[in-house]
Each structure stands twice: as C-alpha cells, then as structure tokens.
C-alpha cells in the first residue's frame, strides 16, 4: 500500500518505496478482522502477501529500514517501522500459526532490546505496544514486566493535561497510539497489581486529552497538538 514519502509533497525525501509502517498497519487491521471472524478468503490472501513482503525487507539484525530513500536506511528512527512490523508478525503467528512470523517477531524484539534506549515517549510507547503484542502470543511474564517498565516511563513523562511531548509535539494520532498501548497493558495486568491505579489514572488523563481535542465534526486534526 502507498507510494512512500512521495505521497507527501511537504517531505524532502526522494523516495516512492512503500513504507513499512503503512503496510504493517494494514496487516494489523486485516488480522483484527480475521480474529473477529469478519474476513473473507481474499483478505486472508492479501494479508499473507503483505506479511511475505514485510519478511523480505527485514534485516538480518531483525529491524526494518526507514524508506526515506528507495534503498532504505537504518537509524534510531527504524524503531517505528520495526515496532509496527514486529507487532504484525507477533499477531500473525498467533492467528495464522506460521513459524516464520514468530521468528521474525522474536528478531524484531531482540533488535529493539539491543539498541540504545531513546528518551522519547513515541519510541518507548511503540516498544510498549510491541512487548504487549508479543506477550499475548508467547505468554512470557518477562515481557509483561518489561512492558510495565515502559509504561512507568510514559506515565512519568505525561504532562498535567494528559498529553506527551518529545523533541517535537506529538499529533493526536500519536497520542492515541500511546494511550492504546497503556490500555492494552491494563487489559493484561492482574486487577490488584500495585501499578494498576497509577496506570488507570494515566489512561483517564490521556483519554480526556483526546476528548478535549476532538473536532466538532467528530474527527481529529492530523497536526501536532
């Protein structure tokens, strides 16, 4: 899906290679339909083709490139496509059972663990989502503990109005991703966990922030807030 950064005329990159994160998000959507019993055979086939496309572009180290050029580059920003593609692989193994997907998800998570920790709510929130998705697949409590550490980082960086800010302001869409990551963690924690109340308060603050930024039309602006 998509024609890469050439889709956005404001981007200075000379690249029309499809973006990993776009394909990964489409895969996650199709997987949700399959899990819900709402997909047909065409959707399943398109999903398998897209997963294979992602597998072909995973590096030996387990990451996925950022296609700001048609050859792709690896940098700390590769944490974004790697987290999203890694989530898709974890969920795909859970739904479709192909061991290649599990190997790819394991490798992606290992790459994330080995890279230097970046002081960024966006990258850490994506990593949290990746940890939770993989925990749902392999049920390793160590992953849940790591996810909790990432959540506590996010809670510690949350602003009084319920939002987050990194080197640059986050968009409402990015705030929604971080909020969803915290919600997913809450769903997988035991009810009386010591961090449960703190997590719940952070989620409520984040949801209130999103509500306050909803437009009268019902949508949300794509700009940073």
């Amino acid at each position: 899906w998509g024609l890469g950064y050439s889709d956005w005329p404001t981007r200075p990159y000379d690249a029309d290679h499809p973006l990993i994160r776009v394909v990964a998000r489409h895969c996650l959507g199709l997987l949700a339909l399959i899990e819900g019993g709402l997909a047909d055979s065409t959707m399943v086939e398109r999903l398998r083709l897209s997963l294979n496309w992602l597998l072909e572009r995973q590096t030996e180290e387990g990451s996925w490139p950022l296609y700001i050029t048609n050859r792709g580059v690896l940098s700390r920003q590769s944490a974004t496509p790697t987290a999203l593609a890694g989530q898709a692989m974890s969920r795909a193994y859970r739904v479709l059972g192909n061991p290649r997907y599990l190997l790819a998800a394991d490798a992606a998570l290992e790459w994330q663990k080995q890279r230097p920790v970046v002081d960024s709510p966006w990258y850490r929130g994506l990593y949290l989502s990746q940890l939770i998705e993989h925990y749902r697949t392999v049920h390793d409590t160590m992953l849940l503990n790591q996810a909790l550490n990432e959540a506590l980082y996010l809670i510690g960086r949350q602003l009084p109005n319920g939002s987050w800010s990194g080197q640059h302001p986050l968009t409402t869409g990015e705030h929604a991703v971080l909020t969803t990551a915290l919600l997913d963690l809450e769903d997988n924690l035991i009810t009386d966990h010591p961090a449960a109340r703190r997590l719940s308060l952070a989620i409520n603050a984040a949801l209130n922030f999103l509500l306050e930024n909803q437009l009268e039309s019902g949508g949300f602006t794509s700009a940073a807030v």
Side-chain angles (χ1 to χ4, degrees), residues 162 164 174-184 202-203 206-207 210:
W164 288 273
E174 290 168 337
H175 281 105
V177 169
L178 300 190
T179 305
T180 301
L182 294 177
L183 283 164
D184 287 341
I203 290 170
L207 290 172
L210 290 173

Side-chain angles (χ1 to χ4, degrees), residues 122-135:
W122 173 242
Y123 293 146
R124 302 285 288 270
L126 284 175
Y127 183 42
L128 166 58
S129 293
Q130 188 179 1
L131 287 165
I132 288 296
E133 195 67 70
H134 208 51
Y135 169 74

Side-chain angles (χ1 to χ4, degrees), residues 16-203:
D16 58 8
H17 189 287
L19 302 182
I20 296 297
R21 58 183 174 81
V22 173
V23 176
R25 282 176 168 147
H26 277 285
C27 287
L28 287 167
L30 289 173
L31 284 161
L33 289 173
I34 294 171
E35 283 188 301
L38 300 173
D40 58 25
S41 58
T42 300
M43 293 181 187
V44 175
E45 179 58 26
R46 291 297 178 89
L47 172 63
R48 293 185 191 276
L49 288 171
S50 300
L51 290 168
N52 287 337
W53 186 90
L54 289 174
L55 286 172
E56 290 170 359
R57 284 154 181 82
Q58 188 177 24
T59 68
E60 292 183 1
E61 294 79 14
S63 64
W64 273 270
L66 188 72
Y67 283 99
I68 55 176
T69 73
N70 283 334
R71 294 183 61 184
V73 298
L74 291 175
S75 70
R76 77 170 196 164
Q77 293 180 325
S78 297
T80 296
T82 301
L84 292 167
Q87 288 178 58
M89 291 298 164
S90 292
R91 194 164 190 173
Y93 174 71
R94 193 167 70 243
V95 174
L96 301 176
N98 188 330
R100 292 181 65 202
Y101 304 150
L102 181 60
L103 289 174
D106 284 335
L109 202 56
E110 188 60 30
W111 183 84
Q112 298 278 39
K113 292 177 184 176
Q114 297 300 325
R115 68 185 176 85
V117 175
V118 179
D119 186 22
S120 163
W122 173 242
Y123 293 146
R124 302 285 288 270
L126 284 175
Y127 183 42
L128 166 58
S129 293
Q130 188 179 1
L131 287 165
I132 288 296
E133 195 67 70
H134 208 51
Y135 169 74
R136 286 173 166 169
T137 297
V138 301
H139 306 293
D140 184 346
T141 55
M142 289 182 62
L143 294 172
L144 195 59
N145 292 334
Q146 292 168 11
L148 182 59
N149 288 336
E150 297 302 316
L152 292 175
Y153 165 87
L154 285 179
I155 293 171
R157 290 290 303 273
Q158 194 172 27
L159 300 176
N161 67 351
S163 70
W164 288 273
S165 181
Q167 291 182 334
H168 306 285
L170 302 183
T171 66
T172 49
E174 290 168 337
H175 281 105
V177 169
L178 300 190
T179 305
T180 301
L182 294 177
L183 283 164
D184 287 341
L185 175 61
E186 186 179 52
D187 283 344
N188 287 276
L189 279 184
I190 56 175
T191 305
D192 58 349
H193 193 282
R197 175 170 171 73
R198 190 178 175 192
L199 181 59
S200 178
L201 290 173
I203 290 170

